[in-house]
Amino acid sequence: MISPRQLRMLQTLWGFLCQRSQLDPKDREARLQWVAGAIGRPIASFRELSAGEANIALDAIQKQLPPEMTKRKRPSRRLAHFYGTSGRKGSDGLVVNLVDADTRRLLDGLLARLGWKSEQFDAFLHSAKSPVRSGAIRTLAEANRAIWALKGMLRRKESAGSDASELKRAG
């Protein structure tokens, strides 16, 4: 049987595919027909899928999406620990780690989701509301502060967007 995790992944990726393909994500028949075509047999519900069929369907959807939409977003446990302890004092004194390419990509992704250009981000870093005192991101500790600030803004932006859509539906 399909696992709960596979079911969530399948539904999430279907939503992404609908956004890219201008399909209605709530059209249940279209969803079932698409997955039935991918696995080679008709289905009446995702719950009928075996674990192997669910993997086939997931692979089929992922092939239709750009790689950046299907990549794992969370860092590994070791990398997350490294990010969290970067720039902190250890038993041997201060440890300073410079920003790496993965962190730059994460920052760029957050800026893209916010709709910010690099000039806008630079202005933010030099403003009074900046999470970093230097006005630039050179170390991993500074990058972490900026990442958390950007994530907070994104969370508020998405929350405000959902609140506005609820008001439109209610009004």
Side-chain angles (χ1 to χ4, degrees):
M1 295 298 295
I2 186 171
S3 72
R5 181 174 184 266
Q6 286 176 313
L7 183 60
R8 278 191 313 272
M9 286 177 59
L10 201 51
Q11 290 169 335
T12 300
L13 291 177
W14 174 256
F16 290 154
L17 182 64
C18 288
Q19 286 175 348
R20 290 188 49 84
S21 305
Q22 305 301 322
L23 297 172
D24 180 15
K26 295 183 181 183
D27 186 357
R28 185 173 191 271
E29 288 304 315
R31 182 177 70 229
L32 294 174
Q33 286 178 358
W34 196 94
V35 172
I39 64 169
R41 74 173 179 91
I43 59 169
S45 169
F46 276 0
R47 297 223 183 256
E48 292 180 7
L49 296 172
S50 69
E53 289 172 332
N55 284 333
I56 292 169
L58 286 167
D59 289 341
I61 291 177
Q62 287 177 345
K63 286 179 184 173
Q64 302 294 319
L65 297 172
E68 61 270 8
M69 290 185 85
T70 59
K71 279 186 182 175
R72 182 179 173 157
K73 300 230 187 304
R74 294 181 71 174
S76 68
R77 182 183 205 113
R78 192 180 95 251
L79 188 57
H81 182 266
F82 174 73
Y83 286 160
T85 59
S86 175
R88 295 200 178 163
K89 290 184 180 179
S91 59
D92 57 346
L94 184 64
V95 178
V96 176
N97 296 306
L98 300 179
V99 178
D100 59 353
D102 288 337
T103 306
R104 286 280 178 203
R105 277 193 293 275
L106 177 60
L107 278 166
D108 291 341
L110 289 169
L111 293 174
R113 288 175 60 193
L114 279 169
W116 283 17
K117 303 283 186 219
S118 61
E119 297 82 21
Q120 209 171 352
F121 184 54
D122 288 339
F124 169 68
L125 291 177
H126 287 91
S127 74
K129 303 257 183 191
S130 175
V132 295
R133 292 184 197 153
S134 66
I137 296 177
R138 292 181 291 260
T139 67
L140 201 50
E142 291 170 332
N144 284 338
R145 285 193 288 280
I147 287 168
W148 284 109
L150 293 173
K151 283 183 175 184
M153 287 182 225
L154 187 59
R155 197 171 27 252
R156 284 188 296 278
K157 178 183 175 184
E158 290 171 349
S159 174
S162 67
D163 291 345
S165 65
E166 287 176 19
L167 287 175
K168 283 182 184 177
R169 277 187 261 148

